[in-house]
Amino acid sequence: MESRKRKAYSIAEKLNVVDRLRSGEAQVSVSSDLNIAESTLRGWLKDEEKLRSSLAGMDCESSKRKRQRTAKDTQLEKAVIDWFNQERSEGTTLSGPIVQGQAKAFHQMIHGDGAGGFEGSNGWLRNFKSRHDIHEVRIRGEQRSADETAAAEYPPILKKIIDEGQYTPEQIYNADETGLYFKMLPDRTLAKRSDEQKTLGFKQAKNRLTILLCTNSTGTHKLPPLVIGKFAKPRCFHHLNMETLPVVYANSANAWMTSAIFEDWFHRHFVTAVRRHLRQQRLPTKALLLLDNCGAHPKTLASKDRKIVISFLPKNTTSKIQPMDMGIIANSKRMYRRHLVKSITARGDLSLPEFLKRRTIKEAIYMFASAWEEVSRQSIHGCWRRALGEAIVTSDDADDSDEEFEGFSAADVSRAFGVSDTDIEEWLNVDEDLPTTAHLTDNEIVANATSQCTEAEESADEDEDQEMEPVPALSSVVQGLELGLRWLETSSNGTAAQTCHLRNIIAMARAAARDSCKQRKLTDFFHSHSD
């Protein structure tokens, strides 16, 4: 008969069980509660004092071993760790060289300028971090710099502004920028130990865009994203009718938001779209746009009739009370990366470098527009309520599901790259703190231009390498659409609405083909002076 292996319990585990028995959380008479034999439990209770004495002796030995790893200069050690703790409590970012420099300064203060023997070497830094369990971590977000008091006081102030302006939730908007590395992939993967090329990868594509997202507090009106790139007319836009893009496109030298771009977007797109939406809802054409205190947001901005105005959130509060920062932007970017992963897994025989080469700004635009469309109304309104609370109230709040932002499952990424949950989260937030605008001095502008020269040239070279797609002949277009229609009509994936929509497109293409084949008269190429 096969014998069952018994688990070996440590002294700490035994005492934990004894404590549970003493507190009444478990019963000795019911051994199934703990899956331990009753006789064993009674033996642990009987030997409780011996167990505690043994554990105390082990702790003593452990503390002796720890005390052996002490610093040679205890005064310097205490000064450095006290300074370190103080600076971190205030949120100061500390690097290894900063700690080493401060240690040298403390050494001079303690032992005098002439004292030698301490260099603050990398070995000292490594041992210092080991002694105090200090690790390097990545800083995210702006929670440290948030003004808690101003954030708490703002919702009643906004409520008063809304009441005085008689704005409905449909008429209250928020807009904010975010950066996007639209080609970047995870930089870690699972690999076998025997794989000699497991650490070899591809150069990370840090092609970036700045995207402005805007929506009202009910989530019923999401404006098309404003996408800012480096180039006014990328090669992938050749022969492209810009009006067909699902976004508004602009450009600047660093792909950053500028006051000129924002003002143009406000007057030409925001005001027009808001008026159209409010007329459809049969509401007064007035609105309030909430913005953060970014230097690229003009401080005096309003529609010509002064009915659509802006209001600024208090400084250093956007991470606390700006609706876009409560998850709307994060969820849209997660949706984008879900689409990116799906496109990678469906790339077929195309190699990954070739796939990335073909990922143009146009492809990223359509993909992000789809991601933005998938962010639900309930999610948006939930973020508004989390950010501004009592200031945002609607009649259907009771029915609001306030759904969580799940983005997509780790399995989607794991199938494509085989990365862990921690690496997935790091990849999802890789461009969280990517700057979208800056106020630079003249010297900073020159310095940045010099340091960014290589990156700009690489982007320009990549843009030049992208082949311009020729405009297809109308006859080929009609044939392709008709082939697609036959597939859609026989496929189980198609819907009646999709079939009707495709038929309308085919009819439009046929009409354009007929017009292009009409015999032209010589007089058609001349115009009278009265025209």
Side-chain angles (χ1 to χ4, degrees):
M1 184 175 180
E2 184 179 353
S3 61
R4 181 176 298 178
K5 293 183 178 179
R6 295 182 178 179
K7 178 181 177 181
Y9 290 90
S10 65
I11 294 178
E13 289 174 332
K14 292 177 181 179
L15 286 173
N16 183 38
V17 174
V18 169
D19 291 338
R20 289 183 59 190
L21 292 169
R22 296 294 189 193
S23 63
E25 293 183 11
Q27 298 178 2
V28 177
S29 59
V30 186
S31 60
S32 59
D33 287 350
L34 300 170
N35 198 23
I36 302 173
E38 182 176 341
S39 59
T40 303
L41 295 177
R42 294 189 181 279
W44 291 355
L45 285 169
K46 183 179 180 180
D47 298 332
E48 179 181 358
E49 292 185 5
K50 293 181 180 180
L51 292 174
R52 295 195 183 280
S53 299
S54 299
L55 183 63
M58 293 174 60
D59 291 341
C60 183
E61 290 296 326
S62 177
S63 62
K64 287 180 181 179
R65 288 195 298 269
K66 290 181 179 179
R67 282 197 296 269
Q68 290 174 358
R69 302 201 317 263
T70 57
K72 294 181 180 179
D73 192 337
T74 55
Q75 287 183 317
L76 175 62
E77 185 84 358
K78 187 177 187 308
V80 175
I81 193 59
D82 288 346
W83 166 83
F84 180 91
N85 292 334
Q86 174 182 282
E87 293 298 315
R88 283 306 301 145
S89 66
E90 297 175 359
T92 306
T93 302
L94 300 175
S95 64
I98 293 177
V99 174
Q100 290 170 295
Q102 189 64 43
K104 293 178 183 179
F106 279 145
H107 186 267
Q108 290 182 352
M109 295 171 62
I110 294 172
H111 302 288
D113 296 336
F118 180 79
E119 298 296 331
S121 63
N122 291 334
W124 172 88
L125 177 64
R126 180 177 61 252
N127 294 333
F128 174 81
K129 293 193 295 183
S130 176
R131 286 191 294 269
H132 299 283
D133 197 27
I134 296 172
H135 303 276
E136 183 174 330
V137 296
R138 183 178 179 184
I139 297 173
R140 296 189 183 279
E142 305 169 355
Q143 298 291 335
R144 285 283 190 178
S145 59
D147 189 333
E148 300 282 351
T149 303
E153 293 175 350
Y154 182 72
I157 296 175
L158 176 61
K159 180 66 174 174
K160 182 179 180 182
I161 295 174
I162 293 173
D163 292 340
E164 291 177 352
Q166 296 182 343
Y167 296 109
T168 67
E170 288 278 347
Q171 297 169 317
I172 306 171
Y173 290 77
N174 177 226
D176 192 26
E177 299 89 356
T178 184
L180 177 69
Y181 287 133
F182 64 92
K183 285 189 179 184
M184 181 169 285
L185 305 178
D187 60 356
R188 298 185 184 183
T189 184
L190 298 180
K192 293 182 178 179
R193 293 183 182 276
S194 59
D195 186 356
E196 296 181 354
Q197 295 183 334
K198 58 178 175 288
T199 60
L200 301 182
F202 304 99
K203 179 182 178 182
Q204 282 287 21
K206 292 190 176 181
N207 307 70
R208 61 155 295 162
L209 298 170
T210 292
I211 300 176
L212 174 76
L213 296 179
C214 180
T215 180
N216 63 355
S217 67
T218 61
T220 56
H221 186 203
K222 295 186 293 184
L223 279 77
L226 168 64
V227 177
I228 305 174
K230 290 184 178 181
F231 307 103
K233 197 74 172 179
R235 278 180 170 262
C236 59
F237 287 177
H238 191 63
H239 295 310
L240 180 69
N241 178 8
M242 301 293 286
E243 298 298 324
T244 63
L245 288 177
V247 304
V248 178
Y249 182 79
N251 73 288
S252 65
N254 294 316
W256 283 351
M257 174 64 77
T258 65
S259 57
I261 292 176
F262 188 88
E263 188 169 354
D264 179 77
W265 170 82
F266 178 84
H267 288 295
R268 293 183 55 197
H269 301 283
F270 176 76
V271 172
T272 303
V274 168
R275 284 174 175 166
R276 185 187 305 114
H277 173 74
L278 295 178
R279 289 192 188 106
Q280 291 174 351
Q281 300 298 317
R282 298 187 177 182
L283 292 171
T285 55
K286 61 180 181 179
L288 178 68
L289 174 62
L290 303 180
L291 299 173
D292 57 29
N293 282 273
C294 167
H297 299 161
K299 295 300 180 287
T300 56
L301 201 58
S303 60
K304 292 182 179 179
D305 58 4
R306 312 296 297 180
K307 291 184 178 180
I308 300 178
V309 297
I310 62 174
S311 178
F312 287 95
L313 301 171
K315 293 183 179 180
N316 300 326
T317 61
T318 55
S319 63
K320 293 288 186 182
I321 61 174
Q322 176 153 245
M324 284 293 174
D325 287 343
M326 292 294 104
I328 299 175
I329 287 177
N331 199 37
S332 62
K333 292 168 76 171
R334 285 176 176 245
M335 293 291 187
Y336 170 83
R337 289 193 163 86
R338 181 184 66 178
H339 287 295
L340 179 61
V341 168
K342 286 185 176 180
S343 64
I344 291 174
T345 56
R347 71 182 187 273
D349 297 332
L350 198 65
S351 66
L352 188 57
E354 185 64 24
F355 171 83
L356 292 177
K357 183 178 179 181
R358 295 187 182 186
R359 298 307 299 174
T360 63
I361 293 176
K362 183 175 70 173
E363 297 292 333
I365 282 174
Y366 279 102
M367 190 175 289
F368 194 90
S370 298
W372 177 231
E373 187 66 26
E374 292 177 11
V375 179
S376 70
R377 170 181 175 272
Q378 290 78 13
S379 297
I380 291 174
H381 185 56
C383 286
W384 276 83
R385 289 195 294 122
R386 283 196 294 273
L388 297 169
E390 63 185 69
I392 304 299
V393 180
T394 62
S395 59
D396 61 346
D397 271 355
D399 300 328
D400 190 4
S401 63
D402 193 19
E403 66 182 14
E404 293 296 328
F405 294 90
E406 297 179 356
F408 61 100
S409 66
D412 292 331
V413 184
S414 181
R415 281 193 295 269
F417 304 105
V419 296
S420 66
D421 293 346
T422 303
D423 298 331
I424 291 171
E425 195 64 28
E426 182 178 344
W427 176 56
L428 292 174
N429 298 312
V430 67
D431 45 24
E432 180 181 4
D433 299 321
L434 191 62
T436 57
T437 184
H439 179 76
L440 307 176
T441 65
D442 292 346
N443 292 334
E444 289 172 334
I445 292 173
V446 173
N448 283 342
T450 303
S451 62
Q452 294 174 359
C453 180
T454 303
E455 180 180 351
E457 287 176 354
E458 290 177 356
S459 299
D461 290 341
E462 181 178 353
D463 184 66
E464 290 297 326
D465 289 340
Q466 295 172 356
E467 297 181 359
M468 291 185 294
E469 299 179 359
V471 179
L474 284 172
S475 58
S476 301
V477 171
V478 173
Q479 291 177 2
L481 291 173
E482 289 175 342
L483 184 63
L485 179 62
R486 288 199 296 273
W487 172 82
L488 191 61
E489 290 175 337
T490 58
S491 172
S492 60
N493 299 324
T495 64
Q498 292 171 337
T499 302
C500 293
H501 186 58
L502 184 53
R503 284 183 174 274
N504 291 333
I505 295 176
I506 292 174
M508 181 178 64
R510 285 173 177 168
R514 286 195 301 270
D515 292 341
S516 65
C517 294
K518 286 183 178 179
Q519 181 68 39
R520 305 295 297 273
K521 298 179 181 180
L522 183 62
T523 54
D524 292 341
F525 297 94
F526 297 92
H527 302 277
S528 62
H529 294 288
S530 61
D531 290 346

